Amino acid sequence: MSPLAALVWTAACYGAFRLVVSAFALVRASALDIVTLGAAQALAYVSCIFLMLHFHERGASLRQSLGLRPTHPGLGLVGIGLGLSLKVPAESLTAFSERFLPTPEAQLLSRAALYRTEDLGDVASLLIILCLVAPLVEELFFRGALYGRLAKGSMSIAGVVSGLLFVIIHPDVRHWPALLVVAAVLSYLRVIGGSLLPCLGLHVAFNAVGLLALVTGAASPTRHLDVSTAWLAASWLAAGLLLVLSVRLADNRAAVRARSEDRA
């Protein structure tokens, strides 16, 4: 697959998502909630994944096509640790962006309605969508199906292209600086680990920290997580140390074998 084809598939996936959302909106009398949006995302992404594999790698196993293979277990733990440590830096980058591009009031109100945590049902819905459905389908599409097809040519190009497409499919440009950091780390883990599993660990942990901040009141849909400079520096340091550790783990036999399967 070429980078241009990857762009076309990403645009088709986003278009399918918006189409499903519009269809759901036509049959609902009330505003769309987080569960409906999660269902629309899952339907659109999974459909595009299967279509992509049908056109580009028919007959291959899903495990091979999507990178669902074992790698060094330590890389999975590193992925989780990076997800936990990167949330604070990401929030600080988004807050910095919003100094120059403030979010409109109407968008803030819409976000507050979508990410409310007033009762246990709201929290359960956010947990399922933000920490399970969204990370799973996004990783299967970008670091699974897209990366796997692009990696046949070059794993480094596959990492860059799939990471950039992951960023631009999110329409709010205020989040792009933070997403660029997260996408770069996700692509790096995918390249050195040869597996989707560390990326899933990072994505789930990253979203879980955001949900925990909402539930505890440390942040809200209209207010970013506010931390001290010392805590922010410690988070960057922790992420850096984990990345250094990942370099050592990447030389393990299991990681080398997983990477070789990407090139097969």
Side-chain angles (χ1 to χ4, degrees), residues 3-204:
L4 178 58
L7 175 61
V8 171
W9 277 108
T10 302
C13 187
Y14 183 74
F17 168 64
R18 299 310 309 175
L19 184 64
V20 175
V21 169
S22 299
F24 283 167
L26 289 175
V27 299
R28 289 176 61 93
S30 57
L32 294 175
D33 56 22
I34 192 70
V35 173
T36 305
L37 290 177
Q41 184 185 32
L43 180 60
Y45 275 62
V46 170
S47 298
C48 287
I49 288 168
F50 278 100
L51 283 172
M52 187 192 310
L53 297 182
H54 175 76
F55 281 105
H56 293 279
E57 200 165 342
R58 187 183 307 180
S61 69
L62 286 177
R63 172 187 174 277
Q64 174 65 21
S65 297
L66 299 176
L68 294 169
R69 62 179 71 96
T71 186
H72 191 292
L75 287 173
L77 296 176
V78 165
I80 294 172
L82 285 167
L84 297 176
S85 59
L86 284 174
K87 185 62 180 179
V88 169
E91 285 286 302
S92 69
L93 288 171
T94 302
F96 182 77
S97 298
E98 291 190 342
R99 294 181 184 178
F100 304 95
L101 293 171
T103 304
E105 186 69 25
Q107 188 175 334
L108 290 174
L109 292 175
S110 177
R111 187 187 301 170
L114 194 62
Y115 295 102
R116 62 182 185 273
T117 56
E118 297 173 359
D119 54 44
L120 189 59
D122 292 336
V123 175
S125 297
L126 289 173
L127 177 65
I128 293 170
I129 302 304
L130 297 182
C131 300
L132 294 176
V133 175
L136 179 61
V137 298
E138 289 181 0
E139 291 309 312
L140 286 173
F141 183 83
F142 289 102
R143 258 70 58 177
L146 269 188
Y147 177 90
R149 311 294 70 70
L150 291 163
K152 304 299 182 184
S154 166
M155 289 194 295
S156 58
I157 290 176
V160 171
V161 172
S162 60
L164 289 175
L165 292 176
F166 172 75
V167 172
I168 65 175
I169 205 173
H170 294 81
D172 192 340
V173 297
R174 300 169 189 84
H175 294 280
W176 283 11
L179 287 170
L180 279 170
V181 172
V182 175
V185 176
L186 283 167
S187 292
Y188 167 76
L189 280 181
R190 183 65 179 88
V191 170
I192 68 164
S195 170
L196 189 66
L197 302 181
C199 302
L200 280 170
L202 189 158
H203 205 149
V204 169

